[in-house]
């Protein structure tokens, strides 16, 4: 019991998407593991609905997901804000520094994340609010494929800017400028309401926030 309380042993189970683990959580996981090497980390990958199910079933201690999350059983702590954008590769170089309307954007093949992702739902709702139906040419299940397909010129990908900082800096991708503002998205740390957190879960949440 003393070892668990002092974070010398135990387990921390975290749920999240592949992209959030790789592009957002990895530095925190490395830092936590370095400070508390006795705590075994278990990472569970999934979509937001799957992470919510994992949490309610007791399979994870906390989930890191895109907001909003509206569920009376869950408590969500805001963490960081992300900015999504459309990007393209060299094949569409003529679009650099050109401001496109949504109608003009839809003249090009669009590549989107799978239907059940929070980012996909948000951008679909945005287009619908302007009276447009966003129909992708290609749908993929990972951020890496969004990046690679855009780089190879298969279309214009919708992706989180923070996940492609290296590609934007080196010039293999560039951001498409639009005449409408794309709303930012918030990342939240999700736990069960009125359920006590383990010492390791509390420590990790404090580290991230």
């Amino acid at each position: 019991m003393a070892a668990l309380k002092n974070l010398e042993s135990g387990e921390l189970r975290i749920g999240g998407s592949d992209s959030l683990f790789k592009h957002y959580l990895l530095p925190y996981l490395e830092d936590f593991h370095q400070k508390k090497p006795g705590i075994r980390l278990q990472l569970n990958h999934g979509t937001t609905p799957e992470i919510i199910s994992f949490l309610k079933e007791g399979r994870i201690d906390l989930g890191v997901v895109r907001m909003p999350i509206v569920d009376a059983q869950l408590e969500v702590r805001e963490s960081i804000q992300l900015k999504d954008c459309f990007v393209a590769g060299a094949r569409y170089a003529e679009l650099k520094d050109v401001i496109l309307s949504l109608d003009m954007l839809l003249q090009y093949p669009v590549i989107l994340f799978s239907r059940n992702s929070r980012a996909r739902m948000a951008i679909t709702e945005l287009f619908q609010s302007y009276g447009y139906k966003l129909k992708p040419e290609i749908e993929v299940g990972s951020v890496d494929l969004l990046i690679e397909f855009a780089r190879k010129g298969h279309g214009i990908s919708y992706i989180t800017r923070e996940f492609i900082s290296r590609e934007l800096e080196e010039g293999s991708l560039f951001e498409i400028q639009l005449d409408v503002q794309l709303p930012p998205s918030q990342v939240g740390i999700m736990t069960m309401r009125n359920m006590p957190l383990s010492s390791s879960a509390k420590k990790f949440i404090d580290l991230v926030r």
Side-chain angles (χ1 to χ4, degrees):
M1 291 296 294
L4 289 172
K5 185 176 180 180
N6 296 326
L7 301 180
E8 296 169 1
S9 65
E11 182 181 55
L12 176 59
R13 302 165 303 166
I14 304 173
S17 67
D18 291 343
S19 55
L20 286 177
F21 274 129
K22 178 179 178 180
H23 298 283
Y24 169 50
L25 283 175
L26 187 57
Y28 298 108
L29 292 168
E30 291 173 338
D31 189 21
F32 183 86
H33 184 63
Q34 186 175 23
K35 291 176 178 176
K36 303 295 178 182
I39 303 295
R40 188 169 71 91
L41 292 174
Q42 179 182 327
L43 307 182
N44 293 268
H45 301 246
T47 63
T48 296
E50 288 172 336
I51 299 304
I52 291 174
S53 295
F54 293 163
L55 190 59
K56 291 183 176 181
E57 293 166 5
R59 295 168 58 184
I60 57 175
D61 301 302
L62 59 94
V64 181
V65 294
R66 286 182 184 244
M67 298 170 66
I69 300 294
V70 181
D71 191 314
Q73 293 181 269
L74 305 177
E75 181 176 347
V76 184
R77 302 163 177 84
E78 290 187 0
S79 182
I80 65 164
Q81 185 171 279
L82 299 176
K83 183 67 176 177
D84 297 315
C85 62
F86 286 95
V87 297
R91 182 176 179 180
Y92 299 99
E94 74 275 6
L95 299 180
K96 279 185 179 181
D97 304 318
V98 176
I99 299 177
L100 299 180
S101 65
L102 297 184
D103 184 57
M104 292 168 65
L105 176 68
L106 291 176
Q107 305 306 311
Y108 297 90
V110 174
I111 307 168
L112 296 181
F113 207 67
S114 56
R115 294 179 184 276
N116 53 1
S117 73
R118 187 68 65 183
R120 169 68 181 272
M121 288 187 284
I123 193 62
T124 299
E125 290 170 2
L126 176 71
F127 271 71
Q128 286 176 344
S129 71
Y130 284 97
Y132 294 101
K133 184 176 181 180
L134 184 56
K135 187 176 180 181
E137 186 85 12
I138 302 172
E139 294 181 77
V140 300
S142 74
V143 170
D144 290 340
L145 285 176
L146 281 174
I147 295 171
E148 195 62 22
F149 275 45
R151 289 179 59 180
K152 291 191 173 182
H154 296 297
I156 297 174
S157 287
Y158 182 67
I159 194 168
T160 302
R161 183 187 290 144
E162 288 81 359
F163 296 170
I164 52 168
S165 55
R166 180 172 58 86
E167 286 80 7
L168 292 174
E169 185 176 343
E170 70 186 13
S172 59
L173 291 175
F174 66 91
E175 184 175 348
I176 299 292
Q177 304 297 322
L178 298 176
D179 63 355
V180 299
Q181 189 74 23
L182 297 179
S185 61
Q186 194 81 26
V187 172
I189 301 172
M190 179 176 62
T191 57
M192 290 297 295
R193 190 179 299 277
N194 301 323
M195 287 285 289
L197 288 173
S198 66
S199 298
S200 58
K202 290 179 182 176
K203 180 68 176 179
F204 185 78
I205 290 173
D206 291 340
L207 181 67
V208 173
R209 299 185 74 206

